[in-house]
Amino acid sequence: DAKTTQPNSMESNEEEPVHLPCNHSTISGTDYIHWYRQLPSQGPEYVIHGLTSNVNNRMASLAIAEDRKSSTLILHRATLRDAAVYYCIPWRQGGSEKLVFGKGMKLTVNP
Amino acid sequence: NAGVTQTPKFQVLKTGQSMTLQCAQDMNHEYMSWYRQDPGMGLRLIHYSVGAGITDQGEVPNGYNVSRSTTEDFPLRLLSAAPSQTSVYFCASSYYLPRGGYYGYTFGSGTRLTVV
């Protein structure tokens, strides 16, 4: 399985954009990049995923580097509700289909 | 549409007791899985299933059994509870995309288990 590296924590201010980085230098060509988040005392929540090109949805944007060794989750306007632990997870189609979580990165949003 | 439903929400067991954590989804998802999360840690995969009648082990399967007789249900059985199994347990499900891969997983709200 590909390894990921995320900062342990980040802080942002409310209503400002937030860029959450993830390094996945050992990713293979068929690994999708998934992002999940976990709010306090809740189960994880799917945020976004992509393979090669940048992706957008109502929650966030995902920017994937051209060499796919890193990606950035972009929250365009952080809210207090975005305070959570964010997980960047490579996922391989056609493999064991398992979603393996690391320790994630804690995002604090200041009012 | 209830999503992924886990019962019970809280449970206290004595060492050596057995119990079943229930997980049900009403989204007709093929894929289901069980995770445990210890305090301050990420989630660890216990068992997963890619369809009815098919199950496989994850990272930490010891002490747990699963079966998948229907698409909707994926119960997790603790055969002889141990204090090391004190944790929060999450069930998740997903569906297979037409062009390959799975969409984002939907998680239940968790079962908080304490073994004394």
Side-chain angles (χ1 to χ4, degrees):
Chain A
D1 296 334
K3 301 297 183 185
T4 61
T5 303
Q6 296 178 259
N8 289 331
S9 61
M10 286 184 66
E11 280 195 39
S12 69
N13 295 320
E14 198 175 10
E15 299 190 1
E16 291 184 356
V18 185
H19 291 230
L20 309 178
C22 180
N23 287 324
H24 31 75
S25 58
T26 61
I27 199 170
S28 78
T30 56
D31 287 351
Y32 287 78
I33 300 156
H34 282 237
W35 281 82
Y36 284 77
R37 71 182 186 182
Q38 187 173 21
L39 279 64
S41 301
Q42 295 189 25
E45 174 185 33
Y46 167 79
V47 177
I48 199 166
H49 77 281
L51 184 60
T52 55
S53 55
N54 296 344
V55 183
N56 300 292
N57 65 21
R58 62 175 180 82
M59 291 181 68
S61 295
L62 176 60
I64 302 171
E66 194 170 337
D67 62 6
R68 291 190 7 100
K69 294 184 184 300
S70 65
S71 62
T72 301
L73 179 70
I74 303 166
L75 307 179
H76 296 285
R77 288 187 62 180
T79 68
L80 296 179
R81 192 190 176 278
D82 291 322
V85 177
Y86 286 78
Y87 297 94
C88 163
I89 306 171
W91 181 91
R92 182 165 300 170
Q93 176 188 343
S96 61
E97 318 289 12
K98 296 182 294 185
L99 197 66
V100 179
F101 286 77
K103 294 185 177 179
M105 185 211 73
K106 183 176 182 178
L107 174 66
T108 300
V109 180
N110 300 314
Chain B
N1 190 334
V4 177
T5 302
Q6 291 185 236
T7 55
K9 293 191 183 303
F10 301 92
Q11 183 70 49
V12 179
L13 286 179
K14 293 182 179 179
T15 298
Q17 286 184 319
S18 63
M19 81 159 293
T20 298
L21 306 185
Q22 301 293 344
C23 176
Q25 53 93 5
D26 60 358
M27 299 172 283
N28 202 32
H29 285 177
E30 301 96 340
Y31 181 92
M32 296 185 75
S33 57
W34 276 101
Y35 291 84
R36 61 175 288 175
Q37 186 172 34
D38 300 326
M41 303 283 289
L43 284 79
R44 291 185 291 171
L45 182 64
I46 305 172
H47 285 285
Y48 65 101
S49 168
V50 297
I54 306 170
T55 63
D56 206 344
Q57 296 180 351
E59 305 168 78
V60 289
N62 293 338
Y64 307 95
N65 275 359
V66 292
S67 60
R68 183 96 179 270
S69 56
T70 67
T71 299
E72 295 77 18
D73 299 300
F74 191 43
L76 178 72
R77 282 184 289 276
L78 282 71
L79 304 176
S80 178
S84 61
Q85 293 179 304
T86 294
S87 190
V88 181
Y89 291 82
F90 291 101
C91 179
S93 73
S94 185
Y95 61 89
Y96 199 75
L97 294 167
R99 286 185 291 179
Y102 285 91
Y103 191 63
Y105 296 3
T106 300
F107 282 80
S109 57
T111 294
R112 187 174 298 272
L113 176 68
T114 302
V115 182
V116 297

